[in-house]
Amino acid sequence: MSATADSTIAAPRSGRIDPKYTRDRTKSGNFEMLTWLFMRLSGIVLVVLIFVHLFSNLMVGDGINGLDFGFVAGKWADPFWQFWDLALLWLAMLHGTNGVRTIINDYAERDGVRFWLKMVLYAATTVIIVLGTLVIFTFEPCLTDAAGNLLEASPAFCATP
Amino acid sequence: MSTATSAQAPAKSGRGTLYRGNEGMWSWVIHRITGVVIFFFLLVHVLDTSLVRVSPEAYNAVLGTYKNPLMAVGEVGLVGAIMFHAFNGLRIILVDFWKGGTKHHKAMLWTVVVLWVITLAAFAIRHLMLAFGGH
Ligand code: HEM
Ligand code: HEM
């Protein structure tokens, strides 16, 4: 009696698609539930990872003016910051990719368009995660040219053997 | 009969529900937009950081663009987007997992707004003073 039709919450779907849901329903078991949980768990960890990243790069010392190649060399000389950035890279990319996947599923109504947008998304994500991971772990602070001379703008500590 | 079917049918205007109109919908719209903005920034950010594998000059050259005062204003915008997405994301998590979450969702949204204004103001003051050459 108190639960009238007007007080029920409408199904959260766009008016163009509702009321008849036309997409195929063959999706497997609890993948969507796991991604839902992942968005929340990764979100909590990302708050810490991102706030510290922004604070240590922009708020302390000279802030933005202190950032240069030597700054990165100093940070990545410590495995602690290498793994910090690795976790930040993977979690932010996977969280963001899954978020954008949801948005594509919401707005791209044609099956073909939806499929290809997601393929482009996954390709971009793979490239960025692989590239970012390689950059962190193949970083070389004292680069030299073919003749063995230090490149210009190398950090000062490279000159002292 | 009619009550059973109307449970799935959209409520008349949809207004006054948790999702449509009002704060609940706007916080969702902003959460969605900020999420996409941060995602595209991150794609570019990993590419610019990857220049450390090319040469110190190349990396310092792109980072030089971040130090331009106009870009510094853009960075405040980016950090503002991140702060909102972060605080509001924590609110969403509380609504989902905390028993009192749905009851206090409005109070929590205003808490998000207040926290956002305070942290962003603090960030903007420090960052813009650094970028515009003050100390
Ligand atoms: C700072 C910490 C963060 C927290 C606490 C957080 C939290 C959340 C939560 C709870 C959701 C909702 C998921 C759902 O409705 O199922 C979400 C969605 C999303 N997040 Fe984040 N997030 C954070 C950082 C990020 C970052 C760094 C990115 C980008 C790389 C991002 C991009 C997105 C996107 C695109 C969505 C989808 C929005 C939608 O479906 O409307 N988030 N986030
Ligand atoms: C304007 C704001 C930002 C500045 C000035 C900045 C600056 C930097 C710098 C100097 C580095 C080099 C390594 C280090 O310092 O740890 C870096 C790396 C990184 N940043 Fe940021 N950052 C900003 C915002 C963000 C945000 C919002 C995210 C996440 C959503 C992020 C994610 C990363 C990641 C994943 C790396 C490692 C890149 C790689 O693997 O090659 N940054 N950032």
Side-chain angles (χ1 to χ4, degrees):
Chain A
M1 41 171 276
S2 59
T4 63
D6 280 336
S7 68
T8 53
I9 294 173
R13 284 178 203 143
S14 108
R16 287 166 297 163
I17 295 177
D18 215 41
K20 208 161 145 287
Y21 192 68
T22 50
R23 291 191 196 158
D24 84 82
R25 296 156 187 274
T26 57
K27 288 286 152 57
S28 62
N30 50 13
F31 175 73
E32 293 300 338
M33 194 270 274
L34 289 173
T35 60
W36 181 91
L37 195 59
F38 171 75
M39 290 307 272
R40 279 141 188 83
L41 296 180
S42 60
I44 294 171
V45 181
L46 278 169
V47 173
V48 179
L49 291 174
I50 292 178
F51 278 38
V52 170
H53 183 70
L54 292 174
F55 196 81
S56 62
N57 286 2
L58 293 176
M59 293 289 99
V60 296
D62 294 329
I64 184 95
N65 300 318
L67 300 184
D68 61 5
F69 185 89
F71 176 89
V72 182
K75 258 183 123 175
W76 284 350
D78 187 345
F80 175 83
W81 288 117
Q82 289 186 308
F83 283 101
W84 191 279
D85 285 350
L86 186 73
L88 179 56
L89 172 74
W90 280 71
L91 285 180
M93 281 305 296
L94 293 177
H95 177 105
T97 300
N98 190 56
V100 174
R101 179 185 71 92
T102 304
I103 294 173
I104 293 174
N105 281 338
D106 277 357
Y107 298 121
E109 289 174 22
R110 289 183 39 211
D111 289 346
V113 174
R114 197 162 64 240
F115 176 82
W116 284 110
L117 281 176
K118 283 192 275 188
M119 286 307 126
V120 171
L121 174 68
Y122 299 153
T125 300
T126 309
V127 169
I128 293 294
I129 289 184
V130 169
L131 175 72
T133 305
L134 285 175
V135 165
I136 295 174
F137 290 107
T138 65
F139 179 72
E140 174 57 61
C142 302
L143 294 167
T144 51
D145 61 20
N149 299 313
L150 273 180
L151 289 184
E152 224 180 291
S154 288
F157 64 77
C158 294
T160 49
Chain B
M1 353 128 272
S2 73
T3 33
T5 46
S6 59
Q8 272 306 307
K12 283 261 164 50
S13 69
R15 287 209 162 258
T17 69
L18 187 58
Y19 299 113
R20 187 101 180 247
N22 307 338
E23 306 91 331
M25 183 180 97
W26 291 112
S27 63
W28 171 79
V29 169
I30 300 173
H31 194 80
R32 187 159 263 202
I33 294 171
T34 51
V36 174
V37 168
I38 304 164
F39 183 72
F40 282 104
F41 163 77
L42 184 57
L43 297 184
V44 176
H45 185 48
V46 173
L47 291 177
D48 65 53
T49 303
S50 73
L51 289 176
V52 294
R53 292 296 295 124
V54 176
S55 75
E57 298 99 85
Y59 184 73
N60 291 348
V62 255
L63 266 202
T65 65
Y66 278 76
K67 296 172 187 170
N68 172 313
L70 205 67
M71 285 288 282
V73 175
E75 284 143 32
V76 171
L78 172 74
V79 170
I82 293 168
M83 299 291 190
F84 180 87
H85 191 96
F87 291 138
N88 190 57
L90 293 177
R91 183 188 66 96
I92 294 173
I93 294 168
L94 281 173
V95 169
D96 288 342
F97 288 110
W98 174 45
K99 232 172 44 179
T102 45
K103 194 170 154 210
H104 300 290
H105 73 100
K106 266 193 195 169
M108 289 197 296
L109 185 57
W110 292 115
T111 310
V112 165
V113 173
V114 170
L115 284 176
W116 179 72
V117 169
I118 294 172
T119 44
L120 187 59
F123 176 84
I125 291 170
R126 171 98 177 117
H127 187 61
L128 293 177
M129 276 169 70
L130 286 162
F132 285 87
H135 280 286

